[in-house]
Amino acid sequence: MTAEFATRAGLVTGAASGLGRATAIAFGEARARVVVADVDEAGGAETVRMVEAVGGQALFIRTDVTDAGQVEAMVGGCFAAYGSLDFAVNNAGTTGRGGRVGEYDLEDWRRTVSTNLDGVFHCLRAELPIMERAGRGAIVNVASGAGLVGFPGLPAYVASKHGVVGLTKAAALEYAAAGVRVNAVCPGSTRTAMLEGYMAQDPRVERMMVAGVPLGRLGLPDEIAAAILWLCSDAASFVVGHALAVDGGSVVQ
Ligand code: NAI
């Protein structure tokens, strides 16, 4: 798998932290050239250093995925810098605030859906025409186990991640004939800043999360990155429109 990425270039959104950073580093280890897109400039610069430290090439482009214009500029910037767009990982996301549907704050709803669902749409809208013209490419949208099953307390998150899975299937069907593969990964609870922040609210949260994982532990960012790289690789050449749970068995229970 490693050799094929040495001639390839692409982008990872939300790559200043967590799963996005781990994915950018994994592409770097595979000698790919990768655009690190995020709103967090300091974290993005650190990811670039980490990608370069493992032998990859990286370029930070500050991008707010809720802004379609910024996303178009970032995707165009990747193509201009590297001459191709072979893979794209639309990963930027937020859990948003907790709460029940009946009391959920309108602004929190809009902010969460805007980041998680509009953000992925803006990315696909900019990436797919470039890949269609090239006649090849692979896209992975980062959804969640919350994109496959419901749970209470994070309605905007659950709804937006189900939306990401649906959008993945729609885009996959529209672009498969053009040689472009669109898939999703649905991570289970994985140790990143996002999850550590959520678990810090109450020590019981981590115990409850681990109890829900048949493998008996939380996931690690590298385990999600490995699945993303595989979906972007030629090894997954017949995999289209799939939502791959990488979650220690959580959603099959
Ligand atoms: P994280 O909080 O460590 O990283 C998220 C990154 O996205 C941050 O660098 C942040 O600056 C960036 N970001 C947020 N809003 C943005 C925007 N509007 N434009 C550009 N960048 C933005 O979170 P983590 O855990 O790495 O999450 C990555 C993805 O994985 C998210 O889509 C999340 O929903 C998903 N996920 C995470 C799970 C977990 O347990 N950590 C489980 C299931 C899904």
Side-chain angles (χ1 to χ4, degrees):
M1 200 206 291
T2 301
E4 75 194 60
F5 285 116
T7 57
R8 293 187 186 168
L11 63 92
V12 183
T13 70
S17 169
L19 304 185
R21 170 177 281 170
T23 302
I25 293 169
F27 277 118
E29 284 168 342
R31 299 290 186 269
R33 290 158 295 156
V34 58
V35 162
V36 169
D38 207 293
V39 285
D40 174 359
E41 294 185 21
E46 180 61 18
T47 300
V48 167
R49 279 192 289 277
M50 294 168 93
V51 171
E52 289 171 348
V54 296
Q57 283 182 55
L59 169 70
F60 174 70
I61 302 181
R62 192 195 180 282
T63 316
D64 182 343
V65 297
T66 67
D67 182 325
Q70 289 188 28
V71 171
E72 276 168 35
M74 178 273 291
V75 175
C78 177
F79 192 75
Y82 296 139
S84 68
L85 182 69
D86 304 297
F87 59 86
V89 181
N90 304 322
N91 161 80
T94 175
T95 48
R97 294 251 173 85
R100 296 195 307 155
V101 176
E103 298 98 39
Y104 207 74
D105 182 73
L106 278 177
E107 271 312 304
D108 288 336
W109 171 271
R110 291 193 181 112
R111 200 175 309 114
T112 305
V113 174
S114 173
T115 304
N116 293 356
L117 183 54
D118 294 5
V120 170
F121 168 64
H122 295 153
C123 290
L124 289 171
R125 192 169 171 273
E127 294 154 1
L128 284 164
I130 294 175
M131 291 186 176
E132 185 175 41
R133 277 196 293 280
R136 58 182 305 280
I139 296 175
V140 174
N141 298 323
V142 178
S144 168
L148 298 171
V149 296
F151 63 84
L154 284 174
Y157 188 73
V158 171
S160 58
K161 292 298 187 178
H162 273 71
V164 169
V165 171
L167 182 57
T168 298
K169 292 176 183 175
L173 294 174
E174 288 171 4
Y175 288 85
V180 181
R181 295 184 301 103
V182 186
N183 290 286
V185 292
C186 297
S189 300
T190 307
R191 282 198 184 280
T192 64
M194 175 190 279
L195 196 75
E196 300 284 1
Y198 185 58
M199 292 189 305
Q201 294 169 16
D202 182 339
R204 288 171 300 183
V205 174
E206 180 167 351
R207 284 200 295 279
M208 274 166 49
M209 284 186 165
V210 171
V213 187
L215 220 47
R217 64 171 175 84
L218 300 180
L220 300 172
D222 287 352
E223 295 176 302
I224 312 302
I228 293 172
L229 242 71
W230 176 74
L231 282 170
C232 288
S233 78
D234 293 344
S237 54
F238 208 50
V239 183
V240 170
H242 188 58
L244 178 63
V246 186
D247 66 355
S250 300
V251 299
V252 294
Q253 297 176 92

